[in-house]
Amino acid sequence: MGFFTKERQTAPCTVTISHRFEELSAHVRFDDGTTINPGDEVQVQGPEIMAAFGELVEEKRTAVIMRASKLEQLWTRATGDFEFMELCEFSFSEEALS
């Protein structure tokens, strides 16, 4: 992998979708031990997975990983904390807590 170039990689994965009262989540686990680095992009191939309420669905799929260039990795590491703050929501109210 070069300083400016991206690399494409495929990996087998397991997708787990939970649509239950106690948990609403979606997770991807790479079956071959592949790891994701800062700046990498992952796209899971195949049709949309739908889980009805109360279900836990698990499917085997293939994921396409676009590896970030070394420059993108450095930039993501340097600016990642600032982008995290965009996810935070702050609210101010005139009401006093009692």
Side-chain angles (χ1 to χ4, degrees), residues 39-69:
D40 290 349
E41 299 173 23
V42 178
Q43 183 177 23
V44 177
Q45 303 296 301
E48 184 177 306
I49 301 171
M50 296 295 291
F53 184 76
E55 285 188 347
L56 176 78
V57 178
E58 204 172 84
E59 289 191 15
K60 300 282 186 186
R61 296 285 178 98
T62 300
V64 176
I65 304 164
M66 288 301 293
R67 296 287 184 185
S69 66

Side-chain angles (χ1 to χ4, degrees), residues 12-97:
C13 65
T14 302
V15 179
T16 306
I17 309 288
S18 176
H19 188 190
R20 299 179 292 176
F21 177 76
E22 58 275 349
E23 180 184 13
L24 179 62
S25 64
H27 297 278
V28 176
R29 185 182 71 244
F30 295 105
D31 298 335
D32 63 355
T34 299
T35 57
I36 300 300
N37 300 313
D40 290 349
E41 299 173 23
V42 178
Q43 183 177 23
V44 177
Q45 303 296 301
E48 184 177 306
I49 301 171
M50 296 295 291
F53 184 76
E55 285 188 347
L56 176 78
V57 178
E58 204 172 84
E59 289 191 15
K60 300 282 186 186
R61 296 285 178 98
T62 300
V64 176
I65 304 164
M66 288 301 293
R67 296 287 184 185
S69 66
K70 293 293 183 190
L71 181 62
E72 287 175 316
Q73 285 183 8
L74 290 170
W75 179 255
T76 303
R77 287 179 197 268
T79 62
D81 291 338
F82 300 119
E83 291 181 16
F84 169 75
M85 291 304 291
E86 291 178 13
L87 298 174
C88 297
E89 182 178 325
F90 299 98
S91 175
F92 298 97
S93 174
E94 293 181 20
E95 296 178 12
L97 298 174

